[in-house]
Amino acid sequence: PQSLLQAYAKFSGAPLTVNTIENSWRAPKGDVPVLISEDVVISQPAKILNFLRKQKYNADYELSAKEGADTLAYIALLEEKLLPALLHTFWVEAENYCSVTKPWFASRIAFPLSLYLPGKMSREALNRILLTRGGPPLYNLTEVEAQIYRDAKECLNLLSKRLGTSQFFFGDTPTTLDAFVFGFLAPVYKVCFPRVQLQEHLKQLPNLCRFCDDILTCYFRLTVSGHSPAGQDTADANLQKLTQLVNKESNLIEKMDDNLRKSPQHPPRKLTTLKLAAGGEASSPLNRFSP
C-alpha cells in the first residue's frame, strides 16, 4: 500500500511527506500506512485515496467515464488475481519469508514483538489465501499455490497486453490505475528473492519492466548524493540561506572589531570566579534546562 499511495501522491501532485515509524502500534489508529492532515486521521489506502481526491488531488481528472470504469475493473482484477500470489511470494513461500521478508520487517519492529509479529502476519497471509482461493476443487495448499500463480501470470499477461507500447495505461499521463499497477509490481520487480517464480515471469514482459523503471526514474529518482531532486533543491536553498547568514555575521563581527580597535583601550579587569554548586555543576538557572 505504501508504494501505491506514494505513487498516487506523486502523480496527483499531493504534498505528501513520508514519516517512518519503528512501531506500527504507535500510529494513531494502530496500523500503517496512515494519513494525518491537520486533525484528520485516515488509515485505509482506499480511504486515503478518496480523501486526496476530495482535496482536489485527482490523478484521474482527464479520464472519460469508460476509462474510469476500466480503472475499477482492472483494480478488481489486481486484487483478485495478483494479490494472492504477492502475499504468497512475500509471506508464505518459506525461503523468501525466512531470508527476506521476516528479517526485513523484524528490523523495523522493537524487541520482543519483532519475534512475534512477522510470524503473525505470515499466518494471516496464508489464512487469507486459503479463505479466498482454497475452496473446491482446490483441497490442499499445493493445488492452491499452483492456481494462484497461474492466475497471477495470466493477470500480468493481460496487463502487458493492455499497456502495449504506451508509457502509461491511459496515454502519456499516469492515473490511479498506474499507481495501483506500480504498487503491486514494483516490490516483486525489485526485491531480490531466492524463489522468483512470479519475478521471472514479470521480467519476461519488457513493457511492464519498462513501466516500473520509468516511474522509478521519473518520480522516485535519487541523485548521486542520495537526495531526490526536490530534496536537493531544498538543501541548496537552505545552504544559500546559511551562507547569507554567515556573511552577515562575518560583516557584523568585522565592524565590531573595527569599533573596538578605534575605541580607547582599558586595562583588563579581573574576572569573577564562577562558583559551582554541589556535584560540580554551575549554580545557574540555565541548569534547570539541562538534560
Side-chain angles (χ1 to χ4, degrees), residues 36-188:
I36 303 175
S37 178
E38 296 179 350
D39 296 331
V40 178
V41 179
I42 308 169
S43 62
Q44 298 179 12
K47 293 182 178 180
I48 292 174
L49 293 179
N50 288 333
F51 175 81
L52 293 176
R53 292 189 187 103
K54 290 179 181 179
Q55 304 303 311
K56 303 186 185 304
Y57 297 109
N58 189 353
D60 300 337
Y61 182 76
E62 297 182 356
L63 294 186
S64 65
K66 182 182 183 305
E67 290 171 334
D70 288 346
T71 296
L72 296 177
Y74 275 99
I75 290 174
L77 179 72
L78 288 168
E79 294 177 343
E80 179 183 355
K81 299 294 187 181
L82 189 55
L83 181 58
L86 293 181
L87 291 174
H88 188 277
T89 298
F90 277 88
W91 292 102
V92 181
E93 172 56 55
E95 290 186 46
N96 293 346
Y97 172 74
C98 292
S99 63
V100 177
T101 310
K102 182 180 179 180
W104 188 5
F105 274 76
S107 67
R108 306 300 300 178
I109 303 173
F111 180 85
L113 289 177
S114 59
L115 303 177
Y116 167 73
L117 286 181
K120 178 176 180 291
M121 297 171 74
S122 176
R123 292 188 294 271
E124 289 176 348
L126 177 59
N127 290 336
R128 179 171 179 175
I129 292 172
L130 293 176
L131 285 173
T132 57
R133 307 303 301 276
L138 307 176
Y139 294 100
N140 60 64
L141 183 58
T142 302
E143 293 177 343
V144 172
E145 290 175 352
Q147 184 60 50
I148 63 175
Y149 279 103
R150 280 196 298 268
D151 290 345
K153 292 174 182 178
E154 290 177 0
C155 180
L156 292 177
N157 293 339
L158 183 60
L159 291 172
S160 177
K161 183 178 179 180
R162 175 64 181 81
L163 179 62
T165 59
S166 300
Q167 183 178 8
F168 301 109
F169 281 90
F170 295 109
D172 298 329
T173 304
T175 63
T176 298
L177 179 57
D178 297 285
F180 267 85
V181 174
F182 175 80
F184 278 71
L185 298 189
V188 178

